[in-house]
Amino acid sequence: MDIVILAVVIAVVVLGALGGLIVGSRRKKQLPPPPPAAPDITAPPAEPHVGDEAETPREEPRRTIEEVDLPDGSAPVVVEEPPAEAPEIEIPEPTAGRLVRLRTRLSRSQNALGKGLLTLLSREHLDEDTWEEIEDTLLTADVGVQPTQELVERLRERVKVLGTRTPEELRTLLREELITLVGRDMDRAVKTEPEDRKPGIVMVVGVNGTGKTTTTGKLARVLVADGQSVVLGAADTFRAAAADQLQTWGERVGAHTVRGPEAGDPASVAFDAVKEGKEMGANVVLIDTAGRLHTKTGLMDELGKVKRVVEKHAPVDEVLLVLDATTGQNGLVQARVFSEVVDITGIVLTKLDGTAKGGIVVAVQRELGVPVKLIGLGEGADDLAPFEPEAFVDALIGE
Ligand SMILES: Nc1nc2c(ncn2[C@@H]2O[C@H](COP(=O)(O)OP(=O)(O)O)[C@@H](O)[C@H]2O)c(=O)[nH]1
Ligand SMILES: [Mg+2]
C-alpha cells in the first residue's frame, strides 16, 4: 500500500515536471515578447518558469529607475542621456594680417617671379635681351600677355628716367608697378552683410577639385571669428561625402549645415539653407555647390537654377568663383564659362602655395573684370587670407 502511494506520488511529480517543461517551452514560443511598459512593481515577483531565460536578453533596453511607473500613477519620466560627446568648438584665428603670416607660402612664386625680376632689373646693361627675359619671366608666371606688355613698358620708361639704379630704388619701383598691375583700388571685401536684411547670401562655385568645399569651410571660420553666425548649405548633392565634408567644417566652429537627400535637387537644398538661415536669424548663409565640369551644359544650367531659386528669398550678395592657381590658363577658360552662367562677384584663388605662377592673380582679374578677394595658401583650416595687393607684392619680391 505504501509502495503504491509512493509510486503514484513519484509519477505525479515526474508528469508534473514534464508538463511544466512542455508548458514552459510553449509559453516561450507563443507569448509575444514582454511589452516595454513598466510593470506594476507592487505585484509580487513572478515565479520563474522552467525554460525561462536566466538573464534578460541583451537587446532588451534596460530601464532606469526614473522610467518605472511609480505606484502613485505618475507618468513615466524619461531621462534623456546627454550626447555621447559634444564636438569641441574651435576658435578660429583672426583674419587681420593673415597674408603676412602666410607670406612664406608664396615662396615658389617669390623665387620665380619677384626675385627673378629684381635680379634682371639689377643688371648693369638693360639691353633688349634682358627686357625680353623680363617679359618671359612674367609670362611664365601666368601674368598674361597684355598685362606683361603694359608692365614692361612702364618699367622701361621709369628705369630710363632713373638713370643710375640702386637696388633699393629698383625694388621700390618694381613694387609700385606690380601693385598698380594687381590693382590698388578694387573693392575686395566679401559681401556678407547687406544693409537691409539678414542673412547675407554667398554662393561658392567652380570646377571639381578646385577647393570649393574647403574654401567654404575656411570662410565660415573667418566669419565666425568676426563674430557672425553662419549657416552652411550643402548644395553639392551628387556625393554624400561632399555634404559630410562641409558639415565637418561647420561642426568645428558650431555652424549648422543644411543638407538634402543624396542626388536630390541642389536648388532646393540651397533654398532650404537660406530659409533656415532666416529662421535662425543667422548673419550669413554660405552655399557650397557641386563641381560642375564647364563642358557639361546641362549641369551648368542647373547652377543658374540654384541661383534663381535662392533669389526667391533675396538677391545673392556674393558669387565666389574658386579657381585652382596651379591650373594656369585652364583656370581662365573655366572663369569665362562660369561668368556666362552666373554673375561672378569675386574670385578665390586656391593653392597659391603650390605654384610658381602667382601672376595668375593679375590675369584672372583682367579676364573677368572682377577682383580676387581671397587666396588659399594651404590645406590648414586658417590658410585662407583676404587678398591685399601690397602684402601680396611684398611677399613676391621679398623683404
Ligand atoms: N595646398 C592647398 N590645397 C588646397 C587649398 N585649397 C584646397 N586645397 C585642397 O584641394 C583639394 C580639393 O578641395 P575641395 O574643397 O574638396 O574641392 P571641391 O571639389 O572644389 O569642393 C583638397 O585636398 C583640399 O585640401 C589650398 O589653398 N592649398
Ligand atoms: Mg566640394
Side-chain angles (χ1 to χ4, degrees):
M1 184 63 187
D2 277 0
I3 291 172
V4 171
I5 290 172
L6 190 62
V8 168
V9 167
I10 290 173
V12 166
V13 167
V14 168
L15 278 175
L18 278 174
L21 253 181
I22 291 160
V23 170
S25 62
R26 274 215 200 111
R27 260 172 58 90
K28 235 186 132 205
K29 274 183 196 135
Q30 287 170 352
L31 284 186
D40 181 359
I41 59 167
T42 54
E47 294 278 1
H49 295 273
V50 179
D52 275 355
E53 308 239 2
E55 269 187 347
T56 317
R58 293 221 172 263
E59 58 271 14
E60 237 179 69
R62 287 173 190 238
R63 282 172 289 109
T64 61
I65 191 81
E66 290 90 342
E67 287 178 64
V68 176
D69 218 349
L70 295 174
D72 66 357
S74 64
V77 183
V78 178
V79 174
E80 264 188 36
E81 295 214 353
E85 212 177 288
E88 208 166 289
I89 291 180
E90 298 173 17
I91 314 283
E93 67 171 56
T95 49
R98 273 199 192 183
L99 212 162
V100 172
R101 171 177 68 84
L102 296 167
R103 66 175 172 258
T104 52
R105 304 275 175 90
L106 286 164
S107 58
R108 291 200 201 190
S109 292
Q110 184 188 91
N111 288 326
L113 184 58
K115 285 188 183 149
L117 288 178
L118 271 180
T119 311
L120 288 168
L121 283 172
S122 306
R123 281 190 188 166
E124 206 165 324
H125 297 289
L126 283 175
D127 54 15
E128 280 311 309
D129 285 349
T130 306
W131 284 113
E132 237 168 66
E133 277 183 66
I134 289 173
E135 226 174 82
D136 288 346
T137 304
L138 290 163
L139 290 173
T140 310
D142 273 349
V143 172
V145 177
Q146 185 69 27
T148 294
Q149 281 169 358
E150 286 172 25
L151 181 64
V152 169
E153 202 61 39
R154 298 274 305 153
L155 289 174
R156 286 180 89 136
E157 269 173 36
R158 291 192 63 181
V159 166
K160 211 187 298 171
V161 174
L162 215 55
T164 52
R165 295 158 275 136
T166 67
E168 210 35 61
E169 282 171 327
L170 278 178
R171 169 185 298 275
T172 308
L173 189 153
L174 182 62
R175 180 178 187 272
E176 281 175 13
E177 290 303 328
L178 280 175
I179 292 173
T180 305
L181 195 70
V182 169
R184 233 180 263 272
D185 304 320
M186 299 175 115
D187 180 4
R188 300 180 191 272
V190 179
K191 302 275 178 298
T192 56
E193 289 177 283
E195 278 171 18
D196 50 332
R197 63 185 158 81
K198 263 197 336 186
I201 306 170
V202 180
M203 260 176 84
V204 181
V205 305
V207 166
N208 216 6
T210 52
K212 285 181 305 298
T213 305
T214 308
T215 298
T216 309
K218 288 173 175 176
L219 183 55
R221 295 174 68 87
V222 169
L223 294 168
V224 168
D226 289 347
Q228 309 218 41
S229 57
V230 176
V231 167
L232 299 173
D236 181 352
T237 56
F238 287 90
R239 299 170 301 131
D244 291 343
Q245 187 191 356
L246 187 67
Q247 190 166 357
T248 303
W249 277 99
E251 278 167 1
R252 291 172 66 176
V253 288
H256 171 58
T257 301
V258 176
R259 36 192 307 178
E262 197 172 350
D265 178 19
S268 71
V269 174
F271 183 86
D272 287 349
V274 177
K275 184 165 154 272
E276 286 194 38
K278 267 185 186 170
E279 287 164 4
M280 292 171 73
N283 296 107
V284 191
V285 176
L286 300 179
I287 299 165
D288 182 27
T289 60
R292 299 159 198 300
L293 278 180
H294 56 274
T295 44
K296 296 185 180 169
T297 30
L299 291 175
M300 289 300 288
D301 289 348
E302 202 172 82
L303 188 60
K305 182 185 159 197
V306 170
K307 183 160 185 265
R308 283 194 305 278
V309 169
V310 164
E311 295 201 319
K312 288 180 180 173
H313 286 292
V316 171
D317 298 284
E318 189 83 69
V319 180
L320 294 174
L321 173 65
V322 179
L323 294 175
D324 178 340
T326 65
T327 61
Q329 297 301 311
N330 211 346
L332 294 186
V333 177
Q334 294 166 16
R336 214 171 293 148
V337 178
F338 272 90
S339 67
E340 283 166 17
V341 183
V342 278
D343 286 329
I344 308 293
T345 58
I347 300 158
V348 183
L349 265 184
T350 58
K351 312 188 195 182
L352 271 170
D353 54 311
T355 178
K357 297 168 179 268
I360 190 75
V361 169
V362 174
V364 74
Q365 287 185 153
R366 286 289 175 103
E367 179 67 40
L368 293 184
V370 164
V372 170
K373 294 192 169 178
L374 299 164
I375 56 175
L377 289 162
E379 296 192 81
D382 293 325
D383 293 344
L384 180 79
F387 183 72
E388 300 154 26
E390 283 90 353
F392 181 73
V393 169
D394 283 343
L396 286 192
I397 58 179
E399 297 300 314

